[in-house]
Amino acid sequence: MARGARTAALASALGLVLAGCSAGEGVDLAGAGEVDTEGYLEVAIAGEPDQLDPHSTSAYFSFQILENVYDTLVEPDAELEMQPALAESWEVSEDQLSWTFHLREGVTFHDGSAFTAEDVVYSYDRIIDEQLANAYRLAAVEDVVAVDEHTVRIDVSQPTPALLAAIGGYKGMAIVERGNVESGDVQLDPVGTGPFEVVGNAASTAVTLRANEDYWGGGPHVPGVVYRFISEGTTALADLTAGEVHWTDSIPPQRVESLRRNPDVEVASVPSTDYWYLTMNQARPPFDSRDARRAVAQALDREALAQVTWYGSATVNQTAVPETSVWYHEYAPFEQDLDRARELAESSGLTGRTVGLMVTNEYPETVTAAQVVAANLAEIGVATEIRTLDFATWLDEQARGNFDMLLLGWLGNVDVNDYYYNQHHSEGSNNAQGYSSPEVDRLLDAGRIETDPEARKELYDRAAERIVDDASYVYLYNPDVVQAWAPELEGYEPRPDRAVRFKDVRLEEGTG
């Protein structure tokens, strides 16, 4: 959603999180029908990727696959600290304006071509020059230079403490192979340097990956992975318990507790870095009034919203950043108060109106949450017309500003800048609600260049309070990452950023 559509998509990060995808066209790759998938890990994901070009997609379903196909220069570990990946080491100049990365030698792409500094230059220049989905992450970059075959320098216009998170937070910043991109094959048959390579891509059905035995980090323990697209959670769980698949995250929230009691299934959850929110179009009356937006914020029953959508697998939060993050700031000025909400609604002209609420059936939790929001607003004299759209249409309507209110989430956030800048800066690329605050702009601009962690946190804490007070977003909750797998799958751990990694997993002998 945005990795957040991610809203991205519920991309992205994740990062719209807007993650989510529109229907994509797929093809059987040459020879894919001959792939022997015996012993392969079989997984069920909740939707079909729109494409497999990491620089162009913002769909979470795409990144569930691409996480295992591509590499970035650095990547987050389980605690979301950046670690070496294609870059073995790096240093920053004294003035903080040049970052030098020393690349691994002997790394090859899946087609056998050598990975060099020129591939890094091409990848980042492509994102910037073509203004692709993640160009905003490189907004401070002035130049990317291949110093030699295995050294890259990134020059920035200002100190950029979040650069590592920007280039390594998720696979939208992957290093791609130039020929694969220029041929157009990257959309369906991507060539990366990752632990698995794509060998089959059947439209609306599955994507098949084969282990890259020459992977620089050591070959995977399973011979391959088959991703099946099963949007119906009950079907995915039936396939899991029947042994048809080994892993899924397509799990209806209301089934989680009963699933935990099933001895034939492993279930785990971790607090995520995601957040879900409601926002209002400030270009349209009455939501051009701060009081009208605050009336909505004061009317909502967040506990009920979290319960009906996630059945206990979510934590109510009135800011974006979850409690588990070092960037968390406790601030909750809008506990449900219907009397105060009615006063604000009356003074702003919201009372007696019918307002639209845009949701998407590709994120069922938004459809469920909309019913609670409508009931809450009815209590303060406001009628709600719920518009349920497919995600592609939802994204188009959001981009055109054709909405009163909308519900969605942002997935896969890593650095604190991911949570606030593009959504709330007046020039933010995902500020669909049209929020503008000179104070917030100043704080967010300062936060992007502040290198002292404590001073930086203070800047974002102050920005978050103003964003909440102005109800630019009405934050609802942080959901957990909930995933399930068969007991014979060993070595898998869910991650707070929802990155799904299968390099180190094993299947007990005789399975698959």
Side-chain angles (χ1 to χ4, degrees):
M1 311 165 85
R3 202 157 185 166
R6 209 162 108 258
T7 318
L10 259 193
S12 321
L14 106 181
L16 304 171
V17 214
L18 305 160
C21 69
S22 54
E25 293 295 325
V27 296
D28 288 319
L29 304 179
E34 301 173 4
V35 175
D36 180 4
T37 60
E38 183 178 355
Y40 277 36
L41 178 68
E42 302 271 352
V43 308
I45 61 176
E48 181 183 0
D50 61 340
Q51 60 172 304
L52 296 178
D53 179 350
H55 294 169
S56 297
T57 185
S58 60
Y60 177 62
F61 303 134
S62 297
F63 286 111
Q64 287 184 284
I65 297 168
L66 296 175
E67 182 69 34
N68 294 284
V69 174
Y70 280 102
D71 290 311
T72 44
L73 288 192
V74 296
E75 67 178 11
D77 61 19
E79 285 70 47
L80 304 185
E81 297 292 332
M82 291 299 157
Q83 303 296 335
L86 288 176
E88 289 186 305
S89 62
W90 54 90
E91 63 261 0
V92 187
S93 63
E94 187 174 348
D95 64 4
Q96 301 284 315
L97 299 181
S98 290
W99 294 65
T100 301
F101 294 86
H102 304 283
L103 309 181
R104 294 183 188 276
E105 298 185 22
V107 176
T108 60
F109 285 95
H110 298 145
D111 64 359
S113 59
F115 159 72
T116 70
E118 291 295 340
D119 297 303
V120 179
V121 174
Y122 173 75
S123 296
Y124 293 164
D125 282 353
R126 180 192 184 218
I127 293 170
I128 295 169
D129 294 345
E130 298 182 26
Q131 285 295 293
L132 299 179
N134 295 289
Y136 72 91
R137 296 177 183 270
L138 301 176
V141 173
E142 290 195 325
D143 203 4
V144 184
V145 180
V147 177
D148 58 41
E149 191 173 15
H150 296 105
T151 309
V152 170
R153 190 184 74 245
I154 300 178
D155 297 328
V156 292
S157 59
Q158 59 191 20
T160 309
L163 183 67
L164 293 181
I167 64 174
Y170 86 117
K171 293 304 187 289
M173 302 301 295
I175 306 305
V176 298
E177 202 272 333
R178 184 171 192 155
N180 182 238
V181 172
E182 293 182 344
S183 69
D185 291 343
V186 67
Q187 292 191 354
L188 297 174
D189 186 13
V191 172
T193 60
F196 294 91
E197 62 178 313
V198 176
V199 293
N201 190 345
S204 304
T205 305
V207 169
T208 302
L209 309 184
R210 182 170 56 206
N212 175 13
E213 300 299 340
D214 297 323
Y215 184 55
W216 57 265
H221 303 302
V222 293
V225 183
V226 179
Y227 288 83
R228 305 197 182 281
F229 316 138
I230 304 177
S231 60
E232 186 60 52
T234 54
T235 303
L237 290 184
D239 286 352
L240 178 66
T241 55
E244 298 295 324
V245 299
H246 301 107
W247 179 98
T248 188
D249 65 347
S250 184
I251 304 170
Q254 64 269 32
R255 294 286 302 277
V256 172
E257 285 307 311
S258 63
L259 202 62
R260 293 186 193 278
R261 296 191 292 270
N262 187 334
D264 298 323
V265 175
E266 300 287 337
V267 182
S269 62
V270 295
S272 78
T273 61
D274 310 343
Y275 67 85
W276 290 75
Y277 67 94
L278 178 148
T279 195
M280 292 153 274
N281 189 345
Q282 297 181 33
R284 289 185 175 183
F287 295 127
D288 55 345
S289 163
R290 180 174 181 261
D291 279 357
R293 302 192 302 272
R294 288 168 66 90
V296 173
Q298 203 81 70
L300 296 186
D301 184 343
R302 289 171 177 78
E303 294 289 349
L305 282 161
Q307 183 60 35
V308 302
T309 54
W310 291 93
Y311 290 81
S313 296
T315 302
V316 167
N317 189 4
Q318 292 193 37
T319 64
V321 182
E323 294 177 1
T324 51
S325 171
V326 297
W327 301 108
Y328 174 69
H329 177 55
E330 186 173 359
Y331 189 65
F334 291 122
E335 299 300 327
Q336 188 184 40
D337 183 337
L338 295 177
D339 289 337
R340 177 58 177 154
R342 291 187 190 100
E343 291 174 6
L344 291 166
E346 185 69 34
S347 66
S348 64
L350 178 60
T351 303
R353 286 181 177 259
T354 297
V355 297
L357 176 56
M358 190 169 73
V359 298
T360 171
N361 51 18
E362 293 185 43
Y363 291 95
E365 52 268 64
T366 65
V367 179
T368 304
Q371 304 299 322
V372 177
V373 171
N376 290 162
L377 295 185
E379 293 189 76
I380 64 168
V382 179
T384 305
E385 180 182 334
I386 298 171
R387 299 170 62 206
T388 304
L389 309 173
D390 64 83
F391 192 55
T393 304
W394 188 102
L395 287 173
D396 184 60
E397 292 288 88
Q398 178 200 234
R400 292 166 51 197
N402 189 23
F403 66 93
D404 293 329
M405 303 187 298
L406 60 81
L407 280 164
L408 204 61
W410 281 79
L411 311 182
N413 309 286
V414 177
D415 184 75
V416 64
N417 187 66
D418 296 339
Y419 288 91
Y420 294 120
Y421 188 91
N422 281 293
Q423 302 90 329
H424 306 288
H425 193 284
S426 60
E427 297 182 0
S429 58
N430 297 112
N431 185 354
Q433 70 277 20
Y435 176 64
S436 180
S437 164
E439 179 187 359
V440 169
D441 284 356
R442 179 182 61 79
L443 291 167
L444 294 179
D445 286 336
R448 295 185 100 184
I449 65 174
E450 178 56 65
T451 57
D452 178 77
E454 290 186 8
R456 190 166 184 248
K457 185 177 186 303
E458 175 63 23
L459 290 166
Y460 282 102
D461 288 351
R462 289 164 58 196
E465 290 187 7
R466 182 60 184 268
I467 289 165
V468 171
D469 287 344
D470 288 344
S472 175
Y473 275 11
V474 177
Y475 296 105
L476 304 175
Y477 50 76
N478 304 111
D480 293 344
V481 177
V482 182
Q483 298 167 348
W485 56 90
E488 59 264 30
L489 175 60
E490 298 179 342
Y492 181 79
E493 294 290 339
R495 295 169 50 90
D497 60 355
R498 293 187 187 271
V500 178
R501 297 180 182 175
F502 292 127
K503 173 189 173 297
D504 295 323
V505 305
R506 298 177 184 271
L507 287 174
E508 290 184 357
E509 189 174 350
T511 67

